[in-house]
Amino acid sequence: MISRVSHPWWKEATIYQVYPASFKDSNDDGWGDIPGLVSKIDYLHDLGVDVVWLSPMFESPQADMGYDISDYQKVYARYGTVQDVDNLVEACHSRGMKLILDLVVNHTSKEHEWFKESRSSRDNPKRDWYIWKPARYDANGNRKPPTNWRSYFAGGTWTWDELTQEYYLHLYASDQPDLNWDSESCRQAIYDNTMRFWLDRGVDGFRVDTVNKYSKRTDFVDATITDPKSEWQPAPDMWCNGPRIHEFLKEMNSQVLDHYDVVTVGELSNTPDPERVLDYVKASERELNMIFQFDMIRLGTGDGFGSKYVFKPWKLSEMKTLVERWQKFIEGTDGWTTVFCENHDNGRAVSRFGSDKPEHWENSAKMIALWQATLTGTLFLYQGQEIGMTNMPATWPIEEYKDIESNNFYQEAARSSDVREKDRVMDGLRILARDHSRIPFQWDSSVNAGFTSPNTEPWMRVHDDACKINVASQVNDRQSVLSFYKKMMTLRKRHADIFVHGTFQLLDKINEDVFSYIKHSADGSRRAFVVLNFSDSRKELPALNECLSDSSDWQLLVGTTRNKREEGVLNAFEGRVYVDF
Ligand code: TEU
């Protein structure tokens, strides 16, 4: 049994998410791969990365970019082999780094052997490893699915199986049938086949996909109609935080995770109450070390499911409230939290929370770096965030969007009776689509940005701005976004008592341009004042002593601007940190 100390290795770690398809292609097939990642591990080590989180690289038909797994113990051929993963583990460990994988066990691919057996007959031993239900029939005898639930990818959550004359449940694509965690034998197979196999090869933990969806309500009733225009209704309360979820996660720990020195971070959706989130992340609960809570990163997405990609303008005061909530909810508890503003399911932070206009791009990216590096919790960076990669150009057509979610929402809008819906959704996708984070990483200014060879067609189009925004153009520039991230990573570690473990005090909540807060060291002896101008114009720098009504001698620790700082004024998207020690 591994002891759970109060400052385990993963609290002060910086964890970097790699999307294997788009990081580095080593064999010129247009797809990133694990040998390509291994070739760049020193780049990550130099950035200050402690842990690599590798998004799904398992064998998969790629209906949902690897989140539809057909064999957990094989590697998708375009990404490499199990031996390549072993090499990656060694490359990390030999540098004092660690590797975590993506644990995707709410569902498998429909091509997984387990599902093939389950669907082969109603009395197959694995029938109850998935969720099968009989049809309903309407007054005219027409066959209907068991419920009216809407899938995350548009459409319904049930697909009819002709052979066995039942429907199977899939919260996502029909290619992704949900596993039935109420089956004890199914859970045991998950623990052994998907977890122990990789932990025994030296993997240091998991990012746990859809972690609160394994236990679902078992009454399978229709959801309240909240979208009268649609046949399908949002129903996340039917499958999130179900009656046995904590039992299952405790079992996963006692039977597997507790026997290794590993970290877990859960993807926790549809759980807005901090008290309910603490149920998952208090060390005494022995469930998850930490979770991703999506309130902040969801800013701008429309309400509910169907309108997710109808952009909804947001105010800085809303962001402040959410950041404050998810900074403070662990204070006084044995829980822990995460810091992140990008991942493979969201648009780029510079474009969404700053500005990707040429005149503002660099300051926005550096301000975001300063913001993230000064927040409490384990810090997660997403590939390309450290060089300020931006959303795909607004001029790119829907054909450049490869994600199943983007395309399903766009096609659904195109079928709408409201002819403006398609344009509204396209406008929203240009800001919010998952595709923006999935285009090839920008290594240099060559054709295909050094991601793959110049005469290879990459699986997604390389950004038009890759010639300007790339590692090579920044690595030797002490004032670049990349250099600033390195500087902030160093300061974060040097002052971990404030930035990683400190308590958060929001200032001036109603200011819709400037975001300022105090971070207090754990023992209360040291403070940092962080001030961020989230606007595209000059703003008055809040007077420190007024804010804090004390006469401490505040000294500038770090600022984002290349230019000479102006006393009392913050330039557009400028950030600064002052300290009183
Ligand atoms: O996402 C699950 C999830 O929480 C969804 O809300 C997610 O944000 C997605 O955009 C659908 O709205 C995880 C993975 O991060 C995602 O990439 C996968 O598509 C999904 O699970 C299914 O495995």
Side-chain angles (χ1 to χ4, degrees):
M1 177 77 73
I2 302 295
S3 67
R4 302 216 175 187
V5 295
S6 63
H7 278 4
W9 55 266
W10 38 266
K11 285 191 173 181
E12 297 184 12
T14 297
I15 301 180
Y16 185 99
Q17 181 186 358
V18 171
Y19 198 68
S22 307
F23 192 63
K24 177 63 182 168
D25 173 15
S26 73
N27 61 356
D28 293 342
D29 66 353
W31 285 72
D33 49 55
I34 295 167
L37 167 53
V38 171
S39 75
K40 294 295 185 181
I41 208 74
D42 283 324
Y43 163 77
L44 298 178
H45 188 248
D46 182 55
L47 173 59
V49 170
D50 301 295
V51 182
V52 174
W53 154 22
L54 182 57
S55 287
M57 78 303 158
F58 312 98
E59 187 160 278
S60 162
Q62 300 295 329
D64 181 19
M65 287 304 293
Y67 281 94
D68 51 313
I69 298 168
S70 51
D71 190 326
Y72 291 90
Q73 298 189 0
K74 287 184 181 166
V75 174
Y76 178 52
R78 286 186 185 276
Y79 295 157
T81 64
V82 171
Q83 181 59 54
D84 289 324
V85 178
D86 292 345
N87 296 344
L88 176 60
V89 168
E90 171 52 29
C92 290
H93 288 179
S94 62
R95 292 165 175 81
M97 298 165 69
K98 294 178 182 284
L99 173 70
I100 66 174
L101 300 182
D102 224 306
L103 185 64
V104 186
V105 290
N106 173 71
H107 47 268
T108 66
S109 163
K110 68 180 181 182
E111 299 306 321
H112 195 289
E113 284 306 318
W114 296 346
F115 186 67
K116 289 179 179 175
E117 291 180 46
S118 179
R119 76 182 314 173
S120 65
S121 74
R122 287 197 188 189
D123 58 7
N124 179 281
K126 290 190 176 66
R127 184 67 174 184
D128 74 340
W129 283 28
Y130 293 84
I131 299 170
W132 295 93
K133 293 293 174 193
R136 293 185 296 181
Y137 292 87
D138 66 17
N140 300 320
N142 299 311
R143 189 181 69 221
K144 292 289 182 186
T147 66
N148 66 349
W149 301 349
R150 178 189 170 95
S151 155
Y152 282 103
F153 293 157
T157 59
W158 299 95
T159 292
W160 178 249
D161 180 64
E162 197 59 38
L163 178 65
T164 57
Q165 294 288 297
E166 284 191 322
Y167 282 91
Y168 66 85
L169 177 69
H170 51 84
L171 303 184
Y172 297 91
S174 60
D175 303 75
Q176 297 167 285
D178 277 54
L179 286 161
N180 174 22
W181 276 67
D182 283 318
S183 157
E184 164 79 25
S185 59
C186 177
R187 295 201 307 277
Q188 291 306 321
I190 289 169
Y191 299 153
D192 202 47
N193 182 273
T194 77
M195 299 177 72
R196 291 193 188 96
F197 177 82
W198 292 105
L199 293 171
D200 290 342
R201 304 187 84 87
V203 163
D204 301 291
F206 297 104
R207 174 267 188 183
V208 189
D209 193 59
T210 61
V211 74
N212 60 328
K213 297 173 182 166
Y214 305 155
S215 171
K216 303 168 169 77
R217 279 178 53 171
T218 54
D219 50 355
F220 292 101
V221 295
D222 275 344
T224 304
I225 294 177
T226 54
D227 183 356
K229 300 190 309 300
S230 174
E231 179 180 1
W232 313 111
Q233 301 304 316
D237 293 339
M238 298 290 183
W239 59 68
C240 287
N241 307 319
R244 299 181 67 186
I245 190 62
H246 296 292
E247 172 201 340
F248 292 159
L249 292 178
K250 284 174 168 58
E251 180 184 80
M252 181 190 277
N253 274 273
S254 61
Q255 293 199 13
V256 185
L257 298 167
D258 281 352
H259 303 276
Y260 303 85
D261 180 14
V262 293
V263 66
T264 53
V265 51
E267 184 198 35
L268 195 79
S269 62
N270 194 47
T271 310
D273 179 351
E275 287 306 308
R276 298 292 63 76
V277 173
L278 281 172
D279 295 342
Y280 288 95
V281 298
K282 287 193 298 192
S284 53
E285 293 296 345
R286 311 188 74 78
E287 293 189 25
L288 299 164
N289 297 130
M290 50 192 150
I291 59 98
F292 296 126
Q293 213 286 345
F294 291 94
D295 288 351
M296 195 289 291
I297 207 170
R298 283 273 189 263
L299 282 171
T301 58
D303 296 325
F305 283 46
S307 58
K308 177 177 180 182
Y309 289 108
V310 177
F311 179 71
K312 182 180 175 188
W314 52 275
K315 294 181 178 177
L316 187 63
S317 53
E318 294 173 72
M319 175 191 273
K320 293 179 183 182
T321 298
L322 295 172
V323 169
E324 181 186 38
R325 179 175 307 148
W326 299 110
Q327 282 283 287
K328 296 189 73 66
F329 88 106
I330 59 168
E331 289 175 8
T333 78
D334 62 345
W336 193 241
T337 191
T338 55
V339 181
F340 69 106
C341 64
E342 289 198 14
N343 63 25
H344 66 292
D345 285 338
N346 287 278
R348 289 287 185 175
V350 171
S351 301
R352 295 179 63 198
F353 307 127
S355 167
D356 53 23
K357 291 179 181 171
E359 64 271 25
H360 295 312
W361 160 76
E362 181 176 271
N363 271 336
S364 287
K366 290 162 80 172
M367 181 197 73
I368 288 165
L370 190 146
W371 169 40
Q372 295 287 290
T374 53
L375 291 178
T376 288
T378 296
L379 175 61
F380 286 76
L381 302 180
Y382 179 73
Q383 69 176 48
Q385 176 183 339
E386 78 277 14
I387 58 171
M389 282 181 67
T390 62
N391 276 356
M392 294 149 52
T395 53
W396 285 11
I398 187 64
E399 288 74 20
E400 300 295 355
Y401 291 70
K402 305 302 182 188
D403 177 33
I404 183 172
E405 183 169 317
S406 302
N407 281 284
N408 285 8
F409 272 75
Y410 181 82
Q411 297 306 329
E412 181 185 47
R415 295 191 296 270
S416 168
S417 55
D418 180 345
V419 294
R420 294 163 304 168
E421 186 67 4
K422 186 174 71 170
D423 291 343
R424 274 197 292 262
V425 167
M426 191 65 218
D427 288 345
L429 288 172
R430 289 190 179 107
I431 301 168
L432 302 166
R434 306 197 305 180
D435 302 81
H436 295 298
S437 57
R438 303 179 178 192
I439 62 173
F441 189 94
Q442 294 158 196
W443 292 103
D444 59 40
S445 58
S446 67
V447 173
N448 290 332
F451 163 71
T452 187
S453 72
N455 49 19
T456 297
E457 183 178 354
W459 77 281
M460 273 190 88
R461 182 173 167 184
V462 170
H463 201 294
D464 299 343
D465 284 354
C467 52
K468 287 178 265 176
I469 300 176
N470 59 71
V471 169
S473 67
Q474 296 185 27
V475 68
N476 296 315
D477 173 357
R478 292 166 56 84
Q479 297 284 341
S480 68
V481 174
L482 177 59
S483 297
F484 191 76
Y485 263 93
K486 291 178 184 175
K487 184 175 186 178
M488 290 312 304
M489 297 302 105
T490 303
L491 287 173
R492 178 174 174 83
K493 281 198 165 44
R494 184 178 304 155
H495 304 293
D497 62 325
I498 297 177
F499 296 137
V500 180
H501 300 285
T503 53
F504 178 92
Q505 178 191 351
L506 178 63
L507 302 175
D508 194 3
K509 184 176 282 194
I510 61 172
N511 189 320
E512 296 296 0
D513 297 306
V514 176
F515 190 166
S516 47
Y517 50 89
I518 298 287
K519 290 299 297 299
H520 299 260
S521 63
D523 65 5
S525 63
R526 304 184 330 144
R527 292 177 298 176
F529 173 75
V530 181
V531 60
L532 311 162
N533 180 2
F534 269 80
S535 82
D536 60 1
S537 54
R538 287 152 53 89
K539 296 297 173 193
E540 183 186 346
L541 176 66
L544 292 182
N545 295 342
E546 273 174 38
C547 281
L548 307 173
S549 65
D550 69 24
S551 56
S552 298
D553 178 19
W554 293 94
Q555 301 295 323
L556 182 74
L557 176 68
V558 62
T560 58
T561 182
R562 275 182 191 263
N563 311 318
K564 185 177 177 336
R565 265 178 295 281
E566 294 182 57
E567 286 312 310
V569 171
L570 285 173
N571 283 312
F573 299 108
E574 182 183 358
R576 297 182 196 170
V577 181
Y578 295 87
V579 293
D580 69 348
F581 53 86

